[in-house]
Amino acid sequence: MEEKLIQELVQTALSQLAKMGLSDATLKSYRTCAFYPIKKFYGDKENVHYENSLMIEMYHLYLMQHEQGVISKQTLNWRLRGINIINEIYDTGSFDWKVFSSKKKQELPGVYETIMTDFSNTLICCTKRKGIY
């Protein structure tokens, strides 16, 4: 991919957030809590261009800092959100508003899925009989 300046990616992110109608206070929080740490990290590395390897390094650094109690869960969330937004803008040119989560949707074991389906069918049957459905 072409080289992109990290500063330009941050500006694109802030511009898109502003177009979404976020308040000035929320935009300031994104600027200071989500994107400033990225710019600082890149500055400390004396790099001005986006690099996936640096984003991965930063991601793991923040996870480790949280595990060690150096940063709070809220700070971790802001920083990871900033990384995810910048990554998406780099990859696609924009980002969609969403909750970034590393949690996977847990599915019910088969036996419980069957129980839930049978129960749901019973409810439907009962409401049809009573004329509610």
Side-chain angles (χ1 to χ4, degrees), residues 70-88:
V70 176
I71 61 174
S72 69
K73 181 68 172 174
Q74 182 177 6
T75 297
L76 174 66
N77 289 341
W78 273 111
R79 291 182 181 181
L80 296 185
R81 180 145 179 87
I83 290 170
N84 287 323
I85 289 171
I86 296 300
N87 284 339
E88 190 170 336

Side-chain angles (χ1 to χ4, degrees), residues 57-71 76 80:
E57 180 183 339
M58 192 176 2
Y59 191 92
H60 289 292
L61 171 68
Y62 295 148
L63 288 175
M64 185 179 66
Q65 287 178 343
H66 176 257
E67 288 173 6
Q68 295 172 346
V70 176
I71 61 174
L76 174 66
L80 296 185

Side-chain angles (χ1 to χ4, degrees), residues 28-42:
K28 181 180 179 183
S29 292
Y30 270 97
R31 193 177 304 108
T32 59
C33 301
F35 301 126
Y36 174 77
I38 294 171
K39 292 179 359 182
K40 180 169 180 357
F41 184 86
Y42 270 74

